[in-house]
């Protein structure tokens, strides 16, 4: 395993993350992380408009100390490569280059300032490799600046950097303990004017967001949805939910904003400014919502090393599922065959007019088939519960929280139990109980048809006759179908319930 | 990985389990399991006393079918070895041998009847390899018979088989829907007479129990303790708790006994009989409680193959912890060094009179050090939470549920958060909040002293001076202590709180 350290010297926090990967394979993983709230951009907003601002001495001191710690960490842990990147605050400061020179001289850490274009490119790599976006826009709200991106055919078409970072606008427009309506309005108007200059909004479409501010706002909005404790990966933060949060934040003095559920204490003083910039972007661009991803600058810089400069995963969802299955999986041939049989039944039942779910549910079923047994790594007893836990907690970039929970639930009920959709909380849709019943009914039978793990049942043919459904197992003539037929016959109840018909298993 | 299938043809259920292991290492794992409620012993109790009873034809038919399924399963999955063992019901039946011959002829599965002595030996191997028992007694309540064992110096000193199995006594003494006080009394008296004949009880000591009846009673008792969902491994089922359960079971008709929380539906008709035999054993032997283990006949047969005929793990607890760390661990040198530093601080603080915890807590701390990072396999984010989940759900034979939960909590709080002992439920003891605070305070500092994962801090020396405690880090002269000192200084609060003193970190 090779290890790459990426150091992100942002305007707000500095973070060192270590990625592990197996060269020549797509398997990767975040393996270590340290951070320090350096706030190198603090105080710079105040001096905006008076030429290039200087970094504050107390911030420089902490920056030097933090660089020494990070540099020592890289040497001590023996990471194979180090990439240290400075963004907006250092880029814009009159003495930014001087700071990096000092850091190199005192700690040996060679960091470089990246341009707004480079920052946008890393942002794009992060978005395009952790979501399914093909065409649309991207937004990265940093401390000093924001990057706006246009994405066409998964490629970065254009990008612009605007000085609308959360720290910067907060210091300039929201200096007091309480924010007045007038201040909020002025901030929105300022952001709107800057965003309008871009002239590239087309009235909606898809918008992907990265960066700590957007992630934290998404986390706060998710807290209201009665979901299990999962990451914000793929979450759709709507305009309405965002405006609700803004109202709640603006109602409180700065010192109490960290008490809003989900808001991090160390972001409380700049979160309102960032939220207003985001809200203005949604309004200006005509977006109903922003799609949040956990990946960011650091992952972008890592993906460039993993995949090459223009490198994209061919299929983000497939990569996520395979990456997780690989980490805990123990029998790929079995998992794939459970999918083959599931797909046969799912498609056969649809062709017979017995359900009208489509490609979306089919893909969730596929993912659940590959992941249904990962929990065996924890304990064979109750391994369906552990597969569920591992899926929800490891996460699957490319899928929304609703899809992740559904995949987890299909894995959860692949062996027994009556599927329970309540975990979907406010993300539930009408018909979810039946949707889960059908999907779990199918995977449960596929698992039993492949109970002897030897592909004795090559395929399953579906036919409807009267009030009953017949599932005819195509038995491999060189194998023994005793176990699969025995096992399938005692596990057809759930599918029968979903279909509202008798299910007969024929050898 | 080699795979061994062990088939247990018990009086109640038949079960096939597959164990995977790496030859030449102590790593093993249960990897598959199928079962069928064959009830081969059904109806035999009724014919007790009229010579050797015959197996019931409907049971024989199901037995033949089940054997065909199990045999096909072994061939299909290609397990490397198969061991099929028949116990009491088949042993005692006039046509038991005939059944096994029929099975061999029709399915090719060669099963053998094991004697009561062999059954006891496998039970002993299970007990001695999954608990810390040195001297004491063992009890295995089966469907047809019970095995009682005497253990001396971890070795099996003696064993006796008594026809007091749960199915047998239930059929003979509790034939109706409701159990009358007179019936209960008769059953107890019968069991007491049989047990007394042994003449080996010494008035207490340690008693270990195996088998589905005892496990299920323990599970029901654990449900009342407000614990997280963990296995019964190591649980102490007290006489009081057992008598409470008996009262509750005896109050209901057979058909409603499965509604008692924790009682399995398919055991509901024989659980009361088994509970009464267990209660009588505790009374006759003068035991306050029975210590339950998940392992049983099947594990015993497997351990014999893994470890040799007289094979015992040298140290059951150490083996459990290492087995789990091995499954998910990624940096053994780091984990061991966190223990080295934890031990130094724990012992140093004790020597300075700053705590008076002893060897028990020290061992829990050791286990938590080896397991604190296993959650990284799930997700680096929140990996302390995942280490906790994996520990509780994988389980640690040799430790009690209380100890398991404590180890999980020490791992859970090794990085951040205020330790919360509420998960101990009714197993909590006074002072647990402080106990956890101290243990988590120590591991948290050890983790930070080893933050750069390079053993830069070779050791930590404790000294008390006035109201403060000084922790002096012994730095490896060839390594850089920047990171560990930086990290330790910001993580000393919890230990300071536990000690009620300032904690100073000196390089």
């Amino acid at each position: 395993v090779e290890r790459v350290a990426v150091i992100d010297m942002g305007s707000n926090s500095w973070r060192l993350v270590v990625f592990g990967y197996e060269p020549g394979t797509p398997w990767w993983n975040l393996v270590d992380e340290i951070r320090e709230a350096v706030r190198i951009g603090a105080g710079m907003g105040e001096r905006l408009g008076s030429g290039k601002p200087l970094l504050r001495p107390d911030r420089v001191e902490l920056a030097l100390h933090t660089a020494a710690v990070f540099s020592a960490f890289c040497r001590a842990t023996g990471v194979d490569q180090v990439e240290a990147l400075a963004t907006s605050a250092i880029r814009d400061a009159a003495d930014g280059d001087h700071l990096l020179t000092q850091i190199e001289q005192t700690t040996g850490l060679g960091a470089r300032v990246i341009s707004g274009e480079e920052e946008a490119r890393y942002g794009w790599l992060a978005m395009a490799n952790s979501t399914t976006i093909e065409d649309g826009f991207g937004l990265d709200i940093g401390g000093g600046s924001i990057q706006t991106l246009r994405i066409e055919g998964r490629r970065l078409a254009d990008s612009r950097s605007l000085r609308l970072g959360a720290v910067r606008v907060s210091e300039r427009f929201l200096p007091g303990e309480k924010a007045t309506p007038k201040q909020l309005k002025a901030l929105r108007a300022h952001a709107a004017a800057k965003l309008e200059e871009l002239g590239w909004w087309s009235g909606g479409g898809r918008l992907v967001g990265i960066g700590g501010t957007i992630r934290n706002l998404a986390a706060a909005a998710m807290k209201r949805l009665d979901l299990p404790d999962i990451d914000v990966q793929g979450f759709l933060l709507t305009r309405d939910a965002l405006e609700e949060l803004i109202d709640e934040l603006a109602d409180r003095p700065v010192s109490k904003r960290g008490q809003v559920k989900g808001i991090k204490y160390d972001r409380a003083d700049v979160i309102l400014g960032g939220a207003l910039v985001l809200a203005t972007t949604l309004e200006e661009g005509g977006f109903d919502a922003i799609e949040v991803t956990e990946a960011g600058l650091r992952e972008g810089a890592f993906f460039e090393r993993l995949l090459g400069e223009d490198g994209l995963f061919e299929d983000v969802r497939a990569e996520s599922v395979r990456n997780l299955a690989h980490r805990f999986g123990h029998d790929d041939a079995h998992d794939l065959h459970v999918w083959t049989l599931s797909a046969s039944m799912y498609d056969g039942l649809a062709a017979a007019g017995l359900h009208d779910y489509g490609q979306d549910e089919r893909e969730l079923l596929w993912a659940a088939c590959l992941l249904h047994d990962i929990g065996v790594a924890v304990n064979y007893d109750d391994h369906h519960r552990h597969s569920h836990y591992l899926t929800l907690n490891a996460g699957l970039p490319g899928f929304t929280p609703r899809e992740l929970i559904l995949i987890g639930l299909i894995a959860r009920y692949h062996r027994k139990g009556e599927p329970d959709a309540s975990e979907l909380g406010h993300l539930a849709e009408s018909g979810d109980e039946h949707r889960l019943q059908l999907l779990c009914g199918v995977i449960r039978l596929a698992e039993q048809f492949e109970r002897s793990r030897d592909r004795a049942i090559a395929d399953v043919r579906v036919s409807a006759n009267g009030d009953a459904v017949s599932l005819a197992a195509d038995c491999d003539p060189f194998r023994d179908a005793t176990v699969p037929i025995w096992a399938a016959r005692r596990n057809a109840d759930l599918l029968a319930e979903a279909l509202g018909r008798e299910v007969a298993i024929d050898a």
Side-chain angles (χ1 to χ4, degrees), chain A:
Chain A
V1 178
E2 291 275 303
R3 285 175 307 142
V4 179
V6 179
I7 296 173
D8 175 1
M9 298 164 154
S11 305
N12 197 24
S13 66
W14 284 21
R15 220 180 264 263
L16 179 162
V17 295
V18 182
F19 298 96
Y21 66 105
E22 298 174 32
T25 76
W27 319 132
W28 66 278
N29 211 358
L30 196 159
V31 295
D32 213 337
E33 173 167 355
I34 53 179
R35 70 181 295 246
E36 179 70 274
V38 174
R39 292 277 170 104
I40 191 68
M44 285 175 64
E46 292 158 13
R47 275 164 282 174
L48 198 78
S50 59
K52 277 203 157 196
L54 286 168
L55 299 167
R56 241 165 59 183
D58 62 327
R59 301 296 92 192
V60 167
E61 193 185 330
L62 182 54
L64 286 169
H65 181 64
T66 303
V69 169
F70 284 11
S71 174
F73 186 90
C74 291
R75 281 194 304 274
T77 57
V79 293
D80 302 291
Q81 305 163 54
V82 180
E83 176 95 270
L85 309 170
T87 53
S88 155
I90 295 176
R91 182 164 70 225
D92 295 345
D95 50 352
D97 284 339
H98 178 66
L99 172 64
L100 296 193
T101 307
Q102 262 187 297
I103 285 175
E104 178 138 29
Q105 284 169 354
T106 56
T107 73
L109 182 70
R112 66 190 175 87
V113 172
I114 58 171
S115 65
E117 288 72 44
E118 265 183 288
E119 200 170 338
R121 205 163 59 75
Y122 288 138
W124 157 69
L125 279 168
M127 292 174 190
N129 281 311
S130 67
T131 75
T132 56
I133 191 163
E134 297 272 342
D135 301 291
F137 298 88
L139 177 69
D140 177 2
I141 300 183
S145 64
I146 71 170
Q147 316 302 322
T148 56
L149 284 63
R150 270 201 307 129
I151 295 171
E152 286 172 16
R154 295 190 78 199
R155 297 283 153 190
L156 181 61
D158 199 357
S159 74
R160 299 290 160 77
S161 181
L162 300 173
R163 293 186 178 174
L164 289 173
V167 175
R168 191 186 296 258
V169 298
S170 296
E171 290 186 348
R172 178 159 168 206
F173 291 94
L174 309 170
E177 256 294 282
K178 282 284 288 181
T180 66
K182 203 173 145 187
Q183 287 173 331
L184 303 180
K185 216 171 143 188
L187 198 164
R188 285 192 198 244
H190 172 74
K194 292 265 184 194
L195 286 160
E196 211 174 327
E197 282 171 24
L198 292 177
W200 66 14
W201 309 114
S202 52
R206 226 166 136 174
L207 174 68
V208 175
I210 61 176
T213 296
I214 294 177
R215 277 202 305 276
N216 199 207
L217 290 166
M222 273 179 74
K223 286 279 181 212
R224 293 147 193 239
L225 299 183
D226 202 16
L227 302 178
D229 193 9
I230 54 175
D231 281 345
V232 297
Q233 181 64 46
F235 180 66
L236 267 181
L237 175 59
T238 61
R239 271 168 86 169
D240 289 350
L242 178 61
E243 293 294 349
E244 249 180 60
L245 270 174
I246 288 173
D247 287 346
E248 200 173 332
L249 290 165
D251 257 3
R252 303 164 181 247
V254 174
S255 56
K256 299 215 162 145
R257 285 182 197 148
Q259 292 168 7
V260 173
K261 215 172 164 191
I263 297 296
K264 288 191 177 166
Y265 268 88
D266 62 356
R267 286 198 180 272
D269 55 342
V270 299
I271 195 76
L272 178 57
L276 288 163
V277 170
L278 175 56
T280 311
T281 308
L282 296 185
E283 203 177 329
E284 280 299 308
F287 301 105
D288 297 327
I290 187 165
E291 195 177 322
V292 184
T293 178
E294 293 266 339
L297 177 75
R298 301 178 287 275
E299 282 76 11
F302 167 69
F303 287 141
E304 182 171 85
R305 283 170 184 257
L306 184 71
L307 304 167
E309 197 165 322
D310 281 331
L312 295 178
F313 290 125
E314 201 180 307
D315 180 330
V316 171
R317 292 180 165 213
E319 216 60 69
S320 292
V321 172
R322 290 197 194 109
N323 202 11
L324 181 54
H326 173 78
R327 210 178 314 158
F328 297 105
H330 68 300
D331 191 347
D332 293 348
H334 167 73
D335 299 338
L336 284 171
H337 199 62
V338 168
W339 165 236
T340 300
L341 299 177
S342 291
S344 268
M345 286 187 275
Y346 184 84
D347 297 343
L349 290 169
L354 294 168
H355 75 75
D356 48 14
Y357 297 112
Q359 186 51 37
D360 290 354
E361 283 83 2
R362 195 176 191 272
E363 191 174 11
L364 303 181
L365 183 58
W366 168 79
C369 286
L370 262 69
L371 300 173
H372 73 287
D373 268 353
I374 58 175
V376 173
V378 181
N379 200 330
Y380 182 84
D381 289 345
D382 276 342
H383 67 262
H384 48 287
R385 276 209 301 117
H386 309 315
S387 298
H388 172 251
Y389 179 91
L390 295 177
T391 300
L392 262 62
N393 284 286
L396 294 173
F399 292 92
T400 64
R402 177 179 153 81
E403 291 168 330
L404 177 70
I405 294 171
L406 284 168
I407 293 168
L409 288 172
I410 302 169
R412 167 74 179 77
Y413 293 102
H414 86 269
R415 300 169 73 197
K416 47 181 156 180
E418 185 67 34
D420 171 8
S422 65
E423 197 169 73
L424 289 162
H426 295 298
L427 295 178
E429 294 179 5
S430 81
D432 275 343
E433 291 291 349
H434 182 263
R435 179 174 283 113
L436 269 175
Q437 218 173 34
L438 183 101
L439 295 169
C440 296
V442 168
I443 194 176
R444 193 175 293 183
L445 268 178
E447 167 77 347
Q448 299 303 334
F449 275 129
E450 168 54 5
R451 190 63 190 84
S452 49
R453 299 179 167 267
D454 65 342
R455 296 162 292 292
I457 306 300
D459 204 354
V460 178
R461 278 168 293 118
V462 176
S463 53
N465 33 14
D467 279 352
V469 178
S470 147
L471 299 180
D474 251 344
C475 304
D476 179 327
F478 300 102
R479 297 187 194 265
D480 183 342
T482 310
V483 175
I485 299 300
W486 168 82
R489 286 197 171 137
R490 50 172 61 191
N491 283 284
D493 291 1
L494 184 61
L495 186 62
E497 203 182 324
L499 299 174
R501 294 165 179 246
E502 297 272 301
V503 170
I505 308 292
D506 303 320

